[in-house]
Amino acid sequence: MDTTGTEFVCPTCGADVVKTDTTCPNCGNPLEWEGVEAAPTGPQGAVRPLTDVRPMGIGDIFDRTFRMFGAVFTRSVVILLLLFIPASVILMVGAGQFYGSFAGLLPAAANGEAPGPEASMALLSSGVVFAIAFLLAYIAVVIGEIAVTILVTGEFHGTRAAWTEVLARAAGIRMLRGIGVMLLQGAAFAAIVVIPAVLFGLAGGGVGVVILSILASLVAVVYLFVCWALSVTAVGSEDLGVAASMRKSWVLVRSGWWRVLGILLLMGLLVGFAIMVITTPITLFAFWDFYREYFKAIASGGTGTPDPTMMVRAVSSMGPGLGLSMGINLMLTTLTRPVYATVLYFDLRARSGEFMRGA
């Protein structure tokens, strides 16, 4: 049978392709046609992708999450190490400079003196360096989340893309879309909280009215945060644009908002506890110099007042340990959160009827 013009589906992103395509026009993934059969079509076109995916219960989501985590673990670790080793080093340098500059203010503060202009400028410049370091780590988080999402999506489609290919796709236009989603959501949350408070304040509503306005705004922020919680997942899984991914997350989540909130909270608490167990010894080791200098400072005071010189060394040594701890925590969170978020995303897509087999 000639299937040249028959519609198929890309096994990576689910986009429509035809037999004459050598690469997917949506994600650029090479297409292998050997042994592929035309998908069934319905009265209004083919409804082909992932017809074996069904709505999952809580237990099924946990089971699928653990299985997916194991399936993508090795490739995820390779990608995240490449992203977070340099990010952690940059964080250690930035935090070291910032806390070193901050420690330089302690002797003057202990004597009740105002910091000099040079010390203030050093603190400001090191703060900028630390902020840039954190921004670069944030970009690593976005790329890592999208990469892990692509890997899990591939497992749902029955494909196993190489980590090099996944990293290249995650660091391209999807990274920019992921950053765009985060920026747009942040701007929306800030506007929801700040604008009503400012308007009530200018109208003379009083402190109580402003506080009530902020509390009401925070409720709205929580609702929107959950509705948009899978926006970056939509970017990584389906390569959707900024507005389209936020709209897709909104449509999928809003009908089962409380269920999604419960699953995200439960998974987040479990993952957070596991990460805490892993990182606590690492954090203690990373802060060893700080604790050593701090207790030396306390012991040397005699009167109970720490020696300012030793306190400077204690605070100065705190920066690199903090940067290392932040990098490890970000990496472990990025290793785990996209896995259960993607499983939940496919569950919600199945519940919306997206994977129903055409009649």
Side-chain angles (χ1 to χ4, degrees):
M1 179 179 64
D2 183 12
T3 60
T4 301
T6 306
E7 290 186 344
F8 295 82
V9 62
C10 172
T12 302
C13 68
D16 290 336
V17 295
V18 294
K19 190 77 173 187
T20 54
D21 292 328
T22 57
T23 60
C24 174
N26 181 51
C27 68
N29 191 50
L31 299 174
E32 299 291 342
W33 293 106
E34 184 177 355
V36 175
E37 297 181 359
T41 59
Q44 298 180 358
V47 185
R48 300 167 308 282
L50 302 173
T51 53
D52 62 330
V53 177
R54 297 289 184 266
M56 293 175 269
I58 302 297
D60 297 326
I61 290 176
F62 273 85
D63 178 68
R64 199 73 174 258
T65 296
F66 286 120
R67 287 193 286 118
M68 287 293 182
F69 183 74
V72 304
F73 179 78
T74 302
R75 289 170 293 164
S76 297
V77 168
V78 172
I79 292 172
L80 295 181
L81 284 176
L82 290 175
L83 292 171
F84 281 97
I85 287 178
S88 297
V89 171
I90 294 171
L91 277 173
M92 292 173 66
V93 172
Q97 290 187 11
F98 177 74
Y99 280 93
S101 300
F102 178 76
L105 303 179
L106 294 180
N111 296 326
E113 302 172 357
E118 292 184 1
S120 299
M121 285 301 299
L123 181 63
L124 178 61
S125 61
S126 62
V128 171
V129 172
F130 191 25
I132 294 174
F134 192 79
L135 176 62
L136 294 175
Y138 168 78
I139 293 174
V141 169
V142 174
I143 297 174
E145 282 206 9
I146 293 174
V148 175
T149 301
I150 293 173
L151 289 172
V152 177
T153 299
E155 292 296 322
F156 271 102
H157 284 277
T159 62
R160 296 182 62 84
W163 67 265
T164 50
E165 175 192 345
V166 171
L167 181 58
R169 288 160 56 190
I173 187 63
R174 297 191 199 203
M175 176 195 70
L176 298 178
R177 289 171 175 169
I179 293 174
V181 165
M182 295 295 188
L183 291 176
L184 187 56
Q185 290 183 8
F189 297 152
I192 290 171
V193 174
V194 173
I195 291 178
V198 171
L199 292 177
F200 281 116
L202 293 176
V207 177
V209 174
V210 172
I211 292 176
L212 289 176
S213 169
I214 292 174
L215 292 177
S217 298
L218 290 177
V219 173
V221 166
V222 171
Y223 177 77
L224 292 176
F225 180 82
V226 176
C227 286
W228 290 334
L230 301 178
S231 299
V232 175
T233 307
V235 171
S237 183
E238 298 190 77
D239 198 14
L240 300 180
V242 174
S245 62
M246 293 176 65
R247 182 168 58 250
K248 182 69 174 283
S249 179
W250 174 280
V251 170
L252 292 177
V253 171
R254 64 178 180 177
S255 60
W257 190 91
W258 286 105
R259 177 177 178 272
V260 173
L261 174 64
I263 292 173
L264 291 178
L265 283 177
L266 183 58
M267 297 297 289
L269 288 173
L270 292 175
V271 168
F273 178 76
I275 291 175
M276 182 186 68
V277 171
I278 295 171
T279 58
T280 296
I282 299 173
T283 302
L284 290 174
F285 177 78
F287 278 83
W288 176 251
D289 288 339
F290 168 77
Y291 294 131
R292 181 181 58 191
E293 294 295 339
Y294 178 78
F295 287 117
K296 281 183 180 178
I298 295 294
S300 68
T303 61
T305 303
D307 181 2
T309 302
M310 299 191 73
M311 282 301 297
V312 168
R313 290 202 298 269
V315 175
S316 297
S317 65
M318 181 178 176
L322 178 64
L324 177 61
S325 178
M326 290 174 60
I328 294 173
N329 274 276
L330 289 173
M331 176 179 169
L332 292 177
T333 302
T334 308
L335 179 65
T336 52
R337 184 193 178 279
V339 179
Y340 66 78
T342 306
V343 173
L344 177 59
Y345 183 73
F346 274 87
D347 166 67
L348 294 175
R349 290 176 66 189
R351 289 177 181 275
S352 70
E354 200 169 322
F355 303 138
M356 292 172 57
R357 188 179 297 273

